[in-house]
Amino acid sequence: MEDLKPCPFCEGKAKLVMQKDTCGDYLITVKCDICGARIAGYYPRLNDEDGAIEDVLGCAEYAVRDWNRRAGIENGNSSE
């Protein structure tokens, strides 16, 4: 899994988190420690005993990918 980039708003440290939402379902998201910015996140299918671990890992990878995506940067062409 790729490393998390700093927050695009405040350059704060981002972290991958798994938390319960208001309905009691688990949500995997990425959140900034400083300003609280976050992505919408992903809900893993935890009721599938055979695939739960793989689905959690897949959701984590998608969350990191989404967090690291920056507006205006396409096809890997950036000034970074």
Side-chain angles (χ1 to χ4, degrees), residues 2-27:
E2 62 185 287
D3 292 335
L4 288 167
K5 291 182 180 179
C7 177
F9 304 107
C10 73
E11 294 293 317
K13 183 176 178 176
K15 65 180 177 181
L16 183 66
V17 295
M18 184 172 186
Q19 61 191 38
K20 278 191 178 181
D21 69 7
T22 55
C23 296
D25 295 321
Y26 284 96
L27 172 70

Side-chain angles (χ1 to χ4, degrees), residues 10-74:
C10 73
E11 294 293 317
K13 183 176 178 176
K15 65 180 177 181
L16 183 66
V17 295
M18 184 172 186
Q19 61 191 38
K20 278 191 178 181
D21 69 7
T22 55
C23 296
D25 295 321
Y26 284 96
L27 172 70
I28 296 176
T29 188
V30 176
K31 182 177 178 182
C32 174
D33 278 344
I34 304 294
C35 72
R38 68 182 190 128
I39 61 162
Y42 293 89
Y43 289 94
R45 294 177 305 234
L46 299 177
N47 57 350
D48 176 12
E49 289 183 25
D50 294 330
I53 301 270
E54 290 83 7
D55 201 50
V56 167
L57 294 174
C59 287
E61 286 182 20
Y62 287 140
V64 170
R65 177 204 63 196
D66 289 355
W67 176 265
N68 286 342
R69 184 181 307 137
R70 301 295 192 244
I73 300 172
E74 296 181 22

